[in-house]
Amino acid sequence: MNENSRILNSVRNIFTGFLGQFITLITGFICRTIFIQCLKTEYLGVSGLFTNILSVLSLAELGVGSAINYALYKPLAEKNEREVSEYMNFYSKAYTGIGIFIFIVGICLLPFLKFLIKDAPNIKENLNLIYIIYLSNTSIGYFFSYKSALINADQRNYIVSLANYARVILQAIVQIVILLLTKNFLLYLIIEFVFSITENLIIAYITNRLYPFIKTNKKYKLEKSKKNKLIADIRDLMINKLSGVLVNNTDNLIITYFSGLVTVGLCSNYNLLINIINTTLKQFFDGIQASLGNLNAVESREKRELYFDITNFINFWIFGFCTICIILLIDDVIKLWIGDKYILDNAIKYILAINFYIVGMQNSVWSYKVTSGIFKNGRFILAIMAIINLALSIILGNEMGLFGILFATTIARITTNVWYDPYIVYKLIFNKSAKIYFIKYIENIIIIIVTIFITNYVIGCINMDINLYIQFIFKLIGCILTPNICFFIIFYKNKDFKFIKKYFFYILKNKGLLKIRQM
């Protein structure tokens, strides 16, 4: 099992995540551009709709993964091979059953697809066949995912990331060639299916090599007390999982009903860009999550709170900066990428950016909740959020269209988990009031609003008569420099910033990662 320090593991995971994400960002952009040029907009809508349907079906996972990952942190830290094997044997059986269940339920939904799609898209392929390919890809992944979960829980997500990025790049290359030569959407999907299975097989092989004991310890079963505790955690996570899926993956279904697949396709271009940013930034929290699990399992309350403040500060800086860039640059990116006809109203980019920021600012809180095993508290608040979101999406979607549906999500989040999750983390983990967190939260929003006005003024000074590409480059430079300079001036004397700066220079002084192995 892993012998390296938390810091070295985190740095490796973060570095691999960011580097790989940058590479896949380029390939994904190229692949998406070729997709739009070779296929009709309706295909984007079909892809977005089926992806969301299957995300809803994934609620069958019921939080099994999060519960077992939390359960693995301690035995992995203690090098307890038998206990790790017990959890992995349970995990294997559970996920095999989930994969079969998702496929059967997915097939049962086939007759109802025509009710979800208000206007049949003008495409030559059979919608049922496309749906079955998406369904097969989703369900088969569950037969292998428990292996990658063990690697991630052992603070080695960089291994899974490398395999994933290699698959994404090779898959994109083959898909681009197929689209250019054939313009065949079914072949495009089949290629994705084949590469996905290949990646899962490779990760399974690597897991067996790193942890050979899980193959020889198949006979071990969880003790009744451990199984009861695990089932209780899964039960609590079930509501969280269901609520989260309903909030995050029903919008496209409602947009399809009120506005049609074309609007889903147009919005999906914006969501693609924002999801690329979100996925890239998520590499930081994915990279440190297992280390936080180790930290929360063995360290004092004071040390856990110290690192929470630091991760939350970093979280604000990167998500605040990216929110400003989304507001000021996303329309320009769409225009240069695929043309003016794909640009949506200004109100849409603002509400998408607000939702991006709200979700992003929950990362530190969610990471601490999951790695501290706080599964029971807050399960009903998420259910309330899902109900508010669904009800308001229907009401506001009927009155305001796309903006109303997206705005409903904003209201649902603000009135529920945006305030409740920090409250419960401070109460149960740090044994204190979350007042200081909320004060900082409001201060940070004010800082972002002021910075947006300053940055907008700076990029507004750019000559509008110059070439669009050159103009965009200058605007991009302005959006990169101005917010970060503003943040630097504001936070120069902040204790969290001082800690990060001190640690950064410590690493440089000690010649990089070679010295942090012992920390």
Side-chain angles (χ1 to χ4, degrees):
M1 285 179 265
N2 201 338
E3 300 288 343
N4 296 316
S5 72
R6 285 193 294 262
I7 296 173
L8 180 58
N9 288 321
S10 295
V11 172
R12 276 180 174 174
N13 294 334
I14 294 168
F15 177 76
T16 306
F18 277 117
L19 179 62
Q21 194 61 35
F22 175 75
I23 295 171
T24 53
L25 166 63
I26 303 301
T27 55
F29 236 89
I30 296 171
C31 192
R32 182 74 164 199
T33 304
I34 300 299
F35 186 101
I36 292 171
Q37 291 176 349
C38 293
L39 299 171
K40 295 187 237 180
T41 305
E42 282 86 352
Y43 285 103
L44 290 175
V46 169
S47 178
L49 176 63
F50 287 166
T51 299
N52 275 265
I53 291 173
L54 294 173
S55 295
V56 172
L57 279 181
S58 71
L59 62 88
E61 194 262 351
L62 299 181
V64 173
S66 298
I68 294 185
N69 281 355
Y70 166 69
L72 284 171
Y73 290 139
K74 188 175 180 180
L76 282 169
E78 296 173 348
K79 308 292 187 294
N80 189 332
E81 293 185 0
R82 172 165 182 155
E83 191 170 355
V84 170
S85 299
E86 290 171 355
Y87 281 113
M88 290 304 293
N89 292 338
F90 180 89
Y91 206 171
S92 172
K93 293 177 182 177
Y95 263 49
T96 299
I98 290 168
I100 294 171
F101 176 80
I102 286 177
F103 187 80
I104 293 173
V105 173
I107 291 295
C108 292
L109 288 178
L110 268 174
F112 301 97
L113 290 182
K114 58 185 178 183
F115 299 109
L116 293 174
I117 302 174
K118 189 176 182 181
D119 300 311
N122 183 24
I123 62 175
K124 61 182 180 181
E125 291 85 2
N126 184 284
L127 279 177
N128 289 341
L129 179 58
I130 293 173
Y131 173 75
I132 289 172
I133 295 174
Y134 273 101
L135 175 63
S136 300
N137 197 14
T138 299
S139 57
I140 289 176
Y142 282 95
F143 294 100
F144 301 94
S145 60
Y146 73 98
K147 297 259 177 119
S148 61
L150 175 58
I151 297 176
N152 290 334
D154 199 26
Q155 307 179 62
R156 285 169 158 166
N157 8 345
Y158 63 90
I159 295 174
V160 177
S161 296
L162 287 172
N164 177 255
Y165 296 136
R167 188 266 300 174
V168 168
I169 294 168
L170 293 174
Q171 174 184 303
I173 292 171
V174 178
Q175 284 180 320
I176 288 170
V177 172
I178 290 297
L179 284 176
L180 290 173
L181 293 178
T182 68
K183 295 182 173 57
N184 190 305
F185 184 58
L186 284 179
L187 281 177
Y188 176 89
L189 293 180
I190 290 170
I191 290 165
E192 182 176 344
F193 178 72
V194 171
F195 272 93
S196 180
I197 291 178
T198 303
E199 178 194 357
N200 283 318
L201 290 172
I202 290 171
I203 291 175
Y205 173 77
I206 293 171
T207 306
N208 291 337
R209 290 291 301 271
L210 289 174
Y211 312 96
F213 59 86
I214 64 173
K215 291 186 68 177
T216 57
N217 293 345
K218 290 287 186 183
K219 61 181 182 295
Y220 295 136
K221 295 182 179 180
L222 275 176
E223 297 173 5
K224 187 175 181 180
S225 59
K226 291 178 183 177
K227 185 180 289 188
N228 290 340
K229 172 66 169 58
L230 194 58
I231 291 172
D233 288 341
I234 292 170
R235 181 195 62 214
D236 295 333
L237 279 164
M238 176 181 65
I239 298 174
N240 291 354
K241 181 75 174 178
L242 173 61
S243 304
V245 168
L246 289 176
V247 170
N248 295 322
N249 298 288
T250 55
D251 281 357
N252 273 357
L253 301 178
I254 299 171
I255 294 169
T256 301
Y257 180 79
F258 284 115
S259 304
L261 281 172
V262 173
T263 302
V264 174
L266 292 174
C267 190
S268 72
N269 292 322
Y270 281 76
N271 283 327
L272 171 70
L273 297 176
I274 292 173
N275 287 338
I276 286 172
I277 298 171
N278 197 31
T279 304
T280 302
L281 299 184
K282 192 172 177 287
Q283 302 308 313
F284 174 78
F285 286 93
D286 286 348
I288 67 172
Q289 183 155 314
S291 296
L292 287 178
N294 185 281
L295 174 82
N296 287 323
V298 299
E299 298 292 355
S300 65
R301 179 186 63 80
E302 290 77 14
K303 192 165 185 177
R304 283 180 282 167
E305 186 177 356
L306 168 66
Y307 281 95
F308 174 83
D309 290 340
I310 293 166
T311 55
N312 198 50
F313 176 76
I314 296 172
N315 195 33
F316 161 73
W317 191 302
I318 58 179
F319 275 90
F321 162 68
C322 289
T323 299
I324 295 169
C325 290
I326 288 169
I327 290 172
L328 298 177
L329 293 175
I330 194 166
D331 280 347
D332 296 286
V333 174
I334 294 288
K335 185 188 300 182
L336 294 173
W337 175 31
I338 49 181
D340 290 345
K341 66 179 182 178
Y342 290 93
I343 293 178
L344 294 169
D345 292 339
N346 267 340
I348 302 301
K349 72 176 180 181
Y350 284 113
I351 198 66
L352 286 171
I354 290 170
N355 285 336
F356 166 82
Y357 179 78
I358 289 173
V359 173
M361 283 307 297
Q362 293 292 103
N363 278 324
S364 300
V365 175
W366 286 338
S367 293
Y368 264 70
K369 276 190 70 177
V370 171
T371 57
S372 299
I374 303 176
F375 303 130
K376 183 176 181 179
N377 302 83
R379 53 184 175 166
F380 294 115
I381 202 77
L382 283 174
I384 293 169
M385 179 176 69
I387 294 169
I388 293 172
N389 178 66
L390 191 59
L392 286 180
S393 291
I394 294 171
I395 296 169
L396 297 180
N398 188 45
E399 296 293 326
M400 306 165 69
L402 176 59
F403 176 82
I405 295 168
L406 298 174
F407 185 49
T409 303
T410 307
I411 297 172
R413 291 191 185 282
I414 291 174
T415 55
T416 53
N417 67 329
V418 164
W419 66 267
Y420 183 82
D421 286 345
Y423 161 77
I424 207 68
V425 163
Y426 271 81
K427 180 180 179 181
L428 297 184
I429 300 178
F430 306 138
N431 299 320
K432 63 194 298 186
S433 168
K435 181 180 178 181
I436 188 171
Y437 173 90
F438 294 118
I439 292 173
K440 286 181 181 178
Y441 197 96
I442 295 170
E443 288 175 349
N444 289 340
I445 291 175
I446 295 171
I447 289 169
I448 287 177
I449 293 172
V450 173
T451 306
I452 288 173
F453 281 106
I454 295 172
T455 308
N456 191 47
Y457 174 79
V458 170
I459 65 175
C461 296
I462 299 170
N463 185 354
M464 293 296 128
D465 295 328
I466 60 178
N467 178 276
L468 286 177
Y469 290 95
I470 298 175
Q471 178 184 313
F472 175 75
I473 291 172
F474 279 116
K475 288 179 73 172
L476 177 62
I477 293 171
C479 281
I480 291 173
L481 294 179
T482 308
N484 285 298
I485 290 172
C486 290
F487 289 174
F488 180 82
I489 293 170
I490 293 168
F491 294 111
Y492 184 72
K493 293 185 178 180
N494 177 279
K495 66 178 180 65
D496 298 318
F497 181 76
K498 286 181 178 179
F499 182 94
I500 295 165
K501 182 176 66 173
K502 179 181 177 181
Y503 192 76
F504 176 76
F505 284 114
Y506 174 85
I507 293 177
L508 290 182
K509 184 179 178 181
N510 289 277
K511 298 180 181 179
L513 300 179
L514 295 177
K515 297 292 183 181
I516 68 174
R517 180 182 295 271
Q518 301 160 349
M519 294 182 61

